[in-house]
Amino acid sequence: MVEMLGFMKDVDAIVCPPCVLETLPHDAWVEHGVYAGFSYSFAYNMTGWPAVVVRAGTSSRGTPVGVQIIGRPFREDVVLALAGHIERELGGYRAPMI
């Protein structure tokens, strides 16, 4: 955790994918063992750092694509402000075409 805090010393937030895969097969946990696919979020979930995932676009297959925003401990304000900005600039939630 000390190394993580040191890395964030001069960084307000990290913006990264929430997962390494665009979508997960229904049997992913059993058949594919995709725990490594969540390596972008495990460390922050385990430390309790503030993070949020917001829609940032649509894939070529028509599925939503999100980005994860992670902030320093106790800086939920920064994470939520960045999430709001990304949603405003990139269109935010869109109801699926059914």
Side-chain angles (χ1 to χ4, degrees):
M1 177 116 156
V2 172
E3 290 86 7
M4 290 173 65
L5 287 169
F7 174 79
M8 294 291 285
K9 171 177 69 115
D10 298 319
V11 177
D12 291 323
I14 298 170
V15 178
C16 64
C19 183
V20 298
L21 304 170
E22 180 182 329
T23 60
L24 295 175
H26 291 291
D27 61 353
W29 298 110
V30 177
E31 297 294 324
H32 304 285
V34 295
Y35 287 107
F38 293 97
S39 59
Y40 290 105
S41 59
F42 273 158
Y44 309 105
N45 288 335
M46 297 300 286
T47 58
W49 287 23
V52 65
V53 175
V54 295
R55 183 185 178 120
T58 304
S59 75
S60 60
R61 294 177 29 195
T63 58
V65 175
V67 294
Q68 177 178 219
I69 305 160
I70 301 130
R72 290 185 227 145
F74 308 107
R75 292 311 311 260
E76 289 85 353
D77 59 322
V78 172
V79 171
L80 293 173
L82 284 170
H85 178 74
I86 289 171
E87 284 188 319
R88 280 189 303 278
E89 292 297 315
L90 301 178
Y93 174 78
R94 293 185 191 118
M97 296 177 67
I98 298 178

